[in-house]
């Protein structure tokens, strides 16, 4: 498969000349000697308009908090910190990773359109635009809560979609999810891998995402780019996802390759996405361009990747309106995810909405959120010790571990598959009595430990 030609005469890809090398050298400004921190760099997405010391003092941290947190984190530099560090609640948003997985469903209508589309290449335009759409939400600089083993999240009342996710492993942290409506099924197994680089962290999306379009039985596979979180402690925290996204129609061999441009000098290239839809014989068919924080457009092209005469760019997706001055930069859909209005009438006690630390943070009580988070973590450790003492093994309730192992650019991952048992449970619960309105649902005590299947090893 050929890559898009990086010719300055081709307007769509002129921005690609910024390159990855500029990202590492032109924007990095050391604060050594100014703040007495060795090896710390502050990367300004605006291109270095202020001096390093002034830029480093920006952000959410108070000086005393910044100092103590930097001392704590230094020993983890170069390590995967996904489940190693007890992090302060000040950096969290009132959402768990299981809920964040559901944010891919905001623009699910694009998958509906992909399913209905007769053109196999335009189908990939719709489906890949769906995959891009979530990056607007992912630019939030707050960290979601790590789910408790056995924790779940379910979303209903959204475009006919049923969505369920479950924390299937604690070490390493792994989540599995399943969504479905009349047009598609969505299955994901996710195992985040991180590398702390001092004042920044690389997040590698080790996982497998599969979408099955029901009309023709087409199966799509998605490999997203990594994500870089800059200025964790010093400076204004911001997110970038430089690299390549590939979505493959594994039924036909067609694919789309999209390049997320790295943020360059004075912010050049930031947010930009360019690429092509290719046929199975690697011939470009449709060019795609846009910004992941604004919109994506497409245009048919010739074998050289040039726009076909008589055609024009057409918009396929754009960001929906968002709340103004939202504390956590939430979209309307993110608020919907946290709402009990999107919960089923018989909510599992293991649902993320019910976490007391998440709810306290949502209410603005950081002190209570911190103590509740600590309490949940201690209870999880105690539950693990009890299981190990009894020689018991935890297995998820709604997802089964398969024999399949998938390779990704960042490592292998074991695959969990939705087992269909929750559909049976939901249908049975629908005819029983119990909590059925928002106030009743809020009163359910959070308890993820009762749902896992525990057996003697």
């Amino acid at each position: 498969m050929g890559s898009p030609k990086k010719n300055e005469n081709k307007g769509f890809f002129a921005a690609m000349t910024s390159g990855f090398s500029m990202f590492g050298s032109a924007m990095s400004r050391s604060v050594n000697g100014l703040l007495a921190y060795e090896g710390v760099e502050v990367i300004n997405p605006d291109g270095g308009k202020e001096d390093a010391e002034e830029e480093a003092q920006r952000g959410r941290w108070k000086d005393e908090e910044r100092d103590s947190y930097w001392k704590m984190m230094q020993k983890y530099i170069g390590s995967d910190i996904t489940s190693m560090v007890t992090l302060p609640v000040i950096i969290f948003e009132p959402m768990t990773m299981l809920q964040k997985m559901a944010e891919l469903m905001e623009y699910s209508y694009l998958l509906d359109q992909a399913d209905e589309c007769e053109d196999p290449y335009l189908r990939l335009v719709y489906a890949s635009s769906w995959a891009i759409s979530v990056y607007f939400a992912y630019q939030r600089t707050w960290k979601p809560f790590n789910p408790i083993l056995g924790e779940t999240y379910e979303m209903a009342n959204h475009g006919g979609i049923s969505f369920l996710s479950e924390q299937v492993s604690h070490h390493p942290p792994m989540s599995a999810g399943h969504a479905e409506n009349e047009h598609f099924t969505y299955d994901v197994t996710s195992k985040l891998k991180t590398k702390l680089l001092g004042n920044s962290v690389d997040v590698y999306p080790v996982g497998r995402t599969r979408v099955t379009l029901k009309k023709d039985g087409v199966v799509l596979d998605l490999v997203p780019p990594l994500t870089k979180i800059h200025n964790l402690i010093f400076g204004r925290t911001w997110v970038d996802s430089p690299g390549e996204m590939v979505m493959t129609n594994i039924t036909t061999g067609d694919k789309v390759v999209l390049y997320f441009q790295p943020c360059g000098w004075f912010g050049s290239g930031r947010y930009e996405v360019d690429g092509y839809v290719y046929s199975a014989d690697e011939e470009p068919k449709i060019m795609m361009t846009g910004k992941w924080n604004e919109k994506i457009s497409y245009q048919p092209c010739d074998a050289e990747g040039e726009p076909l005469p008589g055609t024009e760019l057409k918009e396929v997706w754009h960001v929906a309106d968002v709340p103004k001055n939202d504390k956590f930069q939430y979209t309307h859909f993110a608020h919907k995810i946290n709402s009990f209005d999107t919960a089923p009438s018989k909510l599992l006690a293991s649902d993320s909405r019910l976490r007391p630390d998440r709810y306290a943070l949502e209410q603005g009580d950081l002190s209570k959120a911190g103590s509740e988070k600590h309490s949940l973590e201690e209870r999880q450790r105690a539950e693990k010790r009890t299981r190990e003492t009894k020689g018991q093994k935890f297995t998820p309730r709604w997802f089964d571990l398969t024999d399949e192992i998938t390779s990704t650019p960042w490592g292998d991952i074991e695959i969990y598959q939705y087992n269909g048992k929750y559909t049976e449970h939901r249908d049975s619960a629908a005819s029983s009595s119990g909590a059925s309105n928002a106030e009743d649902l809020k009163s359910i005590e959070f308890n993820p430990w009762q749902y896992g299947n525990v057996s003697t090893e």
Side-chain angles (χ1 to χ4, degrees):
M1 180 183 66
S3 298
K5 298 178 181 179
K6 301 179 183 179
N7 188 314
E8 291 184 359
N9 294 324
K10 297 184 178 181
F12 286 108
F13 295 96
M16 296 181 71
T17 57
S18 59
F20 282 85
S21 59
M22 289 186 66
F23 181 74
S25 59
M27 290 176 23
S28 300
R29 294 173 305 150
S30 175
V31 296
N32 288 350
L34 293 170
L35 300 176
Y37 296 100
E38 292 298 325
V40 176
E41 287 184 331
V42 177
I43 301 179
N44 182 358
D46 297 326
K49 297 176 183 176
E50 299 86 16
D51 62 43
E53 183 171 10
E54 180 180 349
E55 181 67 20
Q57 297 290 357
R58 296 177 180 268
R60 63 174 65 103
W61 297 93
K62 298 178 181 178
D63 288 342
E64 60 273 18
E65 293 171 339
R66 184 186 291 117
D67 293 346
S68 61
Y69 191 48
W70 171 246
K71 291 177 183 178
M72 180 186 77
M73 295 299 289
Q74 276 183 304
K75 61 183 177 182
Y76 295 110
I77 292 177
S79 301
D80 184 343
I81 60 167
T82 307
S83 58
M84 290 173 57
V85 184
T86 299
L87 299 170
V89 75
I90 190 176
I91 70 169
F92 283 79
E93 63 177 342
M95 182 182 290
T96 72
M97 184 59 71
L98 296 177
Q99 294 173 282
K100 203 172 183 76
M101 290 169 64
E103 289 198 76
L104 258 171
M105 294 297 109
E106 177 167 6
Y107 300 96
S108 58
Y109 69 84
L110 290 166
L111 291 181
D112 296 346
Q113 291 176 308
D115 182 53
E116 295 171 342
C117 184
E118 299 292 341
D119 185 323
Y121 308 121
L122 187 56
R123 174 185 290 157
L124 280 173
V125 171
Y126 288 123
S128 60
S129 297
W130 162 79
I132 293 170
S133 68
V134 75
Y135 281 85
F136 179 81
Y138 281 3
Q139 71 178 317
R140 295 197 302 265
T141 59
W142 307 91
K143 182 189 180 304
F145 286 95
N146 290 337
I148 301 295
L149 183 63
E151 185 175 332
T152 60
Y153 174 74
E154 184 186 3
M155 181 179 67
N157 308 322
H158 173 66
I161 293 172
S162 59
F163 176 92
L164 177 71
S165 55
E166 181 178 12
Q167 189 72 358
V168 296
S169 172
H170 182 57
H171 289 298
M174 292 181 65
S175 308
H178 174 81
E180 186 168 358
N181 71 358
E182 62 178 325
H183 290 288
F184 68 87
T185 60
Y186 159 83
D187 291 281
V188 60
T189 302
S190 175
K191 179 174 68 175
L192 290 183
K193 178 181 179 182
T194 64
K195 185 176 183 181
L196 180 65
L197 302 173
N199 197 33
S200 65
V201 62
D202 287 350
V203 181
Y204 305 94
V206 183
R208 192 192 74 173
T209 300
R210 290 281 171 86
V211 174
T212 301
L213 302 179
K214 292 185 175 182
K215 182 178 179 181
D216 294 329
V218 166
V219 180
L220 307 177
D221 179 81
L222 175 67
V223 179
L226 63 82
T227 293
K228 292 177 174 286
I229 305 172
H230 301 283
N231 300 348
L232 286 176
I233 307 169
F234 301 91
R236 295 169 290 176
T237 306
W238 61 282
V239 178
D240 199 23
S241 295
E244 185 178 88
M245 171 186 283
V246 180
M247 175 175 277
T248 304
N249 182 334
I250 61 179
T251 305
T252 66
D254 304 331
K255 66 175 61 178
V256 54
V257 182
L258 298 167
Y259 296 88
F260 285 57
Q261 306 304 322
C263 182
W265 186 247
F266 292 111
S268 66
R270 190 179 184 195
Y271 309 117
E272 294 184 11
V273 181
D274 298 286
Y276 291 107
V277 176
Y278 295 90
S279 65
D281 58 5
E282 301 183 3
E283 181 179 335
K285 294 294 184 179
I286 300 177
M287 61 194 311
M288 297 179 65
T289 188
K291 293 186 176 182
W292 53 257
N293 70 329
E294 293 181 7
K295 65 180 181 179
I296 297 294
S297 300
Y298 70 95
Q299 187 171 4
C301 65
D302 60 23
E304 298 300 317
E306 297 285 357
L308 287 177
T311 65
E312 59 183 17
L313 273 177
K314 293 184 179 181
E315 181 182 289
V316 64
W317 165 81
H318 66 266
V319 172
D321 292 338
V322 298
K324 294 182 179 180
N325 303 317
D326 191 85
K327 180 178 181 180
F328 293 101
Q329 298 111 39
Y330 271 16
T331 64
H332 289 293
F333 187 73
H335 284 289
K336 189 175 182 180
I337 283 175
N338 264 338
S339 171
F340 284 91
D341 292 336
T342 57
S345 59
K346 314 298 181 187
L347 188 65
L348 295 174
S350 51
D351 195 271
S352 296
R353 296 176 185 84
L354 302 171
R355 284 183 60 143
D357 52 355
R358 188 213 64 78
Y359 184 72
L361 182 60
E362 186 177 43
Q363 299 302 306
D365 192 337
L366 268 67
S367 177
K368 184 176 181 180
S371 63
E372 293 285 7
K373 176 176 177 289
H374 176 74
S375 176
L376 284 177
E377 291 169 345
E378 287 299 310
R379 188 175 176 185
Q380 180 168 230
R381 295 185 185 101
E383 189 274 339
K384 179 183 178 181
R385 288 193 297 269
T386 299
R387 275 192 291 109
E388 291 178 344
T389 299
K390 295 180 178 179
Q392 295 176 335
K393 180 182 179 181
F394 173 90
T395 56
R397 187 176 185 184
W398 314 116
F399 294 84
D400 294 336
L401 179 63
T402 69
D403 295 329
E404 185 177 358
I405 297 178
T406 294
S407 295
T408 78
W410 306 282
D412 295 341
I413 184 170
E414 307 88 345
I415 303 303
Y416 285 81
Q417 189 70 32
Y418 176 62
N419 58 28
K421 293 179 181 178
Y422 182 74
T423 302
E424 300 172 7
H425 169 86
R426 182 188 61 208
D427 292 344
S428 174
S431 61
S432 64
S433 60
S436 58
N437 58 58
E439 291 306 314
D440 287 340
L441 294 177
K442 289 178 182 179
S443 66
I444 299 174
E445 182 180 357
F446 179 64
N447 184 4
W449 295 278
Q450 67 171 299
Y451 286 106
N453 298 312
V454 178
S455 60
T456 302
E457 295 181 311

